[in-house]
């Protein structure tokens, strides 16, 4: 465990140190986001922070490749190098969008090509645990893998609307993934150890970047960052569950991630939910699924009265509840987990709706008081609408 924590610290340290330089470069080359109608920030802010996160991730992975405990992961197979090459590719596509605002179809084509390359390089969902082990054909494996990577990339991209929101949600999901894969790694399956390594490095770059991205942000991660995070968390989940045989693992351990297809959705529940709602909403209006608007979950939070920091913290809380809820089944009985999650849901619901209730309850009281006053006045003055004897 200490080795993984050290890797996370290296990733976070590199990201934190190099991000100010990336900010300076972004300003020099014109990668500065203009204030658009849907944006929350009010002043132009440099983006392309994903380049600093990429440097942190690559630096941590190269550092890990020289560590005796982890070096075998890089020698026994080439998955780590495939993941790193894919990370460079997806970050470069995001940087191009940060600079030139690529058409969404062109950007998605680049995402798909990267996903297919990674799947072709060996990062695939080989088995689907649907009650019994189902071995997919190579073409089906590549298709499913590419779909999951592209979907997760865009889910994180959709939720990246407030300072620190996307990086915090992905960090929470990465911690949950890392904890679960570390439990499996105790039985020494190499793929679980690789998943843990990717997760802890990803958590490190998220934490290192948040230190510069907390509101008011000095730098945005841009598409280069949100696409990178969506890519990495999906790669880790595929490595961890894509070859997992449910017959070889106790049911109590396998239950939280019963289906590899559902695993990214479980941990990235909020981004996936926001993405699905946005697609349905836009298609219902006859718009493109990628048409921007101000109806995302974080926009709704601000609209009912939350501050940017408050909205981010509450959404982090929801993400943590969903991500760690299944993980708790490994350590506690299901009914206790259900009770704890129920209490947490109530508390988070109250926190979410507090600004709305704070303003709405006095209004309701004033309306009720006015109605009572009108009713009493009508009864005493003989108003035709008042009570009659």
């Amino acid at each position: 465990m200490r080795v993984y924590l050290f890797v996370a610290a290296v990733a976070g340290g590199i990201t934190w140190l190099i991000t100010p330089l990336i900010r300076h470069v972004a300003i020099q080359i014109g990668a500065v986001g203009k204030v658009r109608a849907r944006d929350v920030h009010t002043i132009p802010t440099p983006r392309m922070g994903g380049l600093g996160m990429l440097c942190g991730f690559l630096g941590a992975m190269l550092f890990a490749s020289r560590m005796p405990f982890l070096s075998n992961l890089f020698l026994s197979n080439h998955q780590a190098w495939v993941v790193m090459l894919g990370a460079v590719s997806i970050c470069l596509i995001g940087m191009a969008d940060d600079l030139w605002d690529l058409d969404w179809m062109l950007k998605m084509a680049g995402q798909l090509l990267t996903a297919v390359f990674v799947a072709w390089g060996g990062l695939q969902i080989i088995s689907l645990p649907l009650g019994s082990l189902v071995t997919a054909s190579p073409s089906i494996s590549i298709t499913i893998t590419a779909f999951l990577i592209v979907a997760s990339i865009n889910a994180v991209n959709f939720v990246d609307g407030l300072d620190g929101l996307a990086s915090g949600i992905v960090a929470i999901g990465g911690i949950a993934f890392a904890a679960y894969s570390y439990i499996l790694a105790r039985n020494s399956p190499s793929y679980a150890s690789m998943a843990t390594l990717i997760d802890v490095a990803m958590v490190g770059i998220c934490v290192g970047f948040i230190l510069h991205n907390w509101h008011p942000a000095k730098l945005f991660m841009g598409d280069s960052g949100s696409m990178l995070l969506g890519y990495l968390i999906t790669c880790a989940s595929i490595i961890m569950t894509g070859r997992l045989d449910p017959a070889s693992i106790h049911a109590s351990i396998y239950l939280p991630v019963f289906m590899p297809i559902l695993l990214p959705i479980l941990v990235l529940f909020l981004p996936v939910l926001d993405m699905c709602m946005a697609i349905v909403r836009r298609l219902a209006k006859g718009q493109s699924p990628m048409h921007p608007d101000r109806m995302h979950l974080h926009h709704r939070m601000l609209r009912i009265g939350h501050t940017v920091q408050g909205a981010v913290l509450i959404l982090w809380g929801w993400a943590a509840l969903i991500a760690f809820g299944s993980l708790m089944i490994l350590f506690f009985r299901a009914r206790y987990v259900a009770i704890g999650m129920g209490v947490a849901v109530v508390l988070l619901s109250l926190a979410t709706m507090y600004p709305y209730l704070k303003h709405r309850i006095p209004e309701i009281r004033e309306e009720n008081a006015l109605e009572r006053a009108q009713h009493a006045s009508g009864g005493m003055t003989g108003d035709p609408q008042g009570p009659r004897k």
Side-chain angles (χ1 to χ4, degrees), residues 96-107:
D97 186 66
D98 291 338
L99 282 168
W100 302 302
D101 287 327
L102 301 179
D103 180 79
W104 71 270
M105 294 186 67
L106 180 62
K107 184 168 60 175

Side-chain angles (χ1 to χ4, degrees), residues 158-353:
F158 270 62
V159 83
D160 180 30
L162 297 180
D163 298 340
L165 179 58
S167 51
I169 288 178
V170 172
I172 290 168
I175 293 171
F177 269 137
Y180 180 74
S181 59
Y182 180 75
I183 293 172
L184 296 183
R186 291 182 301 185
N187 297 324
S188 298
S190 59
Y191 54 83
S193 299
M194 178 59 70
T196 307
L197 176 60
I198 294 173
D199 278 324
V200 297
M202 181 187 66
V203 171
I205 65 176
C206 287
V207 174
F209 183 73
I210 287 176
L211 297 177
H212 296 283
N213 187 237
W214 188 247
H215 186 76
K218 301 176 182 177
L219 177 72
F220 294 152
M221 70 169 63
D223 278 21
S224 57
S226 61
M227 289 168 56
L228 175 65
L229 294 182
Y231 164 82
L232 290 177
I233 196 169
T234 309
C235 287
S237 69
I238 291 173
I239 291 174
M240 184 175 70
T241 61
R243 300 173 184 267
L244 207 57
D245 184 353
S248 64
I249 301 175
H250 192 275
S252 63
I253 295 180
Y254 192 68
L255 181 60
V257 284
F258 180 70
M259 292 177 61
I261 291 178
L262 293 182
L263 187 57
I265 298 176
L266 178 66
V267 175
L268 294 177
F269 179 80
L270 286 181
V272 171
L273 174 64
D274 192 33
M275 180 181 67
C276 293
M277 291 173 60
I279 291 174
V280 171
R281 180 174 65 247
R282 293 164 185 176
L283 290 177
K285 295 180 179 179
Q287 299 172 336
S288 165
M290 298 298 175
H291 183 79
D293 59 29
R294 289 182 60 89
M295 295 296 291
H296 291 286
L297 292 176
H298 49 272
H299 289 134
R300 297 171 189 264
M301 295 281 287
L302 297 179
R303 193 174 297 121
I304 65 175
H306 285 286
T307 63
V308 172
Q309 297 95 325
V312 169
L313 291 174
I314 291 174
L315 290 172
W316 282 5
W318 282 109
L321 173 64
I322 298 168
F324 289 103
S326 60
L327 191 63
M328 291 299 101
I329 299 177
L330 302 178
F331 309 101
F332 305 100
R333 293 183 179 180
R335 63 174 179 270
Y336 296 146
V337 174
I339 293 173
M341 290 186 68
V343 173
V345 166
V346 172
L347 294 177
L348 283 172
S349 298
L350 291 174
T352 301
M353 298 304 298

Side-chain angles (χ1 to χ4, degrees), residues 7 14 50 60 66 85 166 182 188 203 282 389:
V7 171
I14 294 175
R66 309 301 298 175
L85 286 174
Y182 180 75
S188 298
V203 171
R282 293 164 185 176
K389 292 185 179 179

Side-chain angles (χ1 to χ4, degrees), residues 42-66:
T42 57
I43 59 174
T45 304
R47 46 191 181 181
M48 209 172 73
L51 179 58
M53 302 169 82
L54 175 66
C55 293
F57 176 75
L58 295 179
M61 293 294 285
L62 292 174
F63 181 81
S65 70
R66 309 301 298 175

